[in-house]
Amino acid sequence: LDVTIQAQVLEMIDELKRKLNTSMILITHDLGIVAQMCDKVAIVYAGEVVEYGMIEDIFGDKNHHPYTVGLFKSIPDLTKETKRLSPIGGSIADPSNLPTGCKFHPRCPNCTEICMSQEPEAKDDNGHKIKCHLY
């Protein structure tokens, strides 16, 4: 959708949400829309939630899952002149052949030995959950 139509659709969805006094689940790659529309956020990699929290937790200056960090680093900074975006390294996990341990470890810049063999448990900091051995 172009930006104008996208804004109109999002406004209509938000109006319906308020009018019907209901919740909604929004699935998107657009973190700008997430910031505008959501109260709670789940960051999903290879089919599993790797980070979860209130919008302030995800967009705030806290610890984050390396995948979340990579997502934010890949957003263009309009205040800086750059020739290239900063993508997350490596290839997306093959859902039919997921790696052992942490599913993100082949692409993770912070990968350690434990990441390759053990799936991390979610650490909970007052509702902000991160599934990573770093924490």
Side-chain angles (χ1 to χ4, degrees):
L1 301 174
D2 69 58
V3 178
T4 305
I5 299 297
Q6 176 181 304
Q8 291 173 349
V9 169
L10 291 172
E11 187 177 317
M12 186 172 45
I13 290 170
D14 195 45
E15 184 179 319
L16 280 170
K17 185 178 79 168
R18 281 181 283 150
K19 188 178 192 179
L20 299 173
N21 193 29
T22 188
S23 298
M24 73 168 175
I25 296 175
L26 177 67
I27 301 170
T28 182
H29 288 99
D30 189 328
L31 292 173
I33 291 174
V34 170
Q36 175 187 345
M37 299 290 295
C38 301
D39 299 317
K40 297 177 184 174
V41 181
I43 303 291
V44 178
Y45 183 79
E48 70 180 43
V49 175
V50 294
E51 186 167 356
Y52 172 84
M54 299 300 291
I55 194 79
E56 298 83 13
D57 296 327
I58 305 302
F59 283 79
D61 194 23
K62 290 187 163 197
N63 290 328
H64 295 289
H65 188 277
Y67 180 60
T68 306
V69 172
L71 290 176
F72 279 105
K73 282 186 175 179
S74 68
I75 297 172
D77 184 344
L78 299 177
T79 64
K80 295 178 184 173
E81 187 175 328
T82 56
K83 296 198 187 298
R84 296 185 60 106
L85 295 177
S86 180
I88 298 170
S91 298
I92 297 169
D94 177 356
S96 66
N97 187 26
L98 292 171
T100 58
C102 174
K103 308 299 180 263
F104 188 63
H105 88 260
R107 303 177 74 189
C108 184
N110 305 312
C111 180
T112 63
E113 193 123 344
I114 193 170
C115 302
M116 294 182 245
S117 60
Q118 272 186 12
E119 188 171 333
E121 297 206 14
K123 308 300 185 285
D124 190 334
D125 179 17
N126 293 321
H128 180 207
K129 298 176 183 178
I130 303 173
K131 196 172 182 182
C132 182
H133 290 295
L134 288 174
Y135 310 107

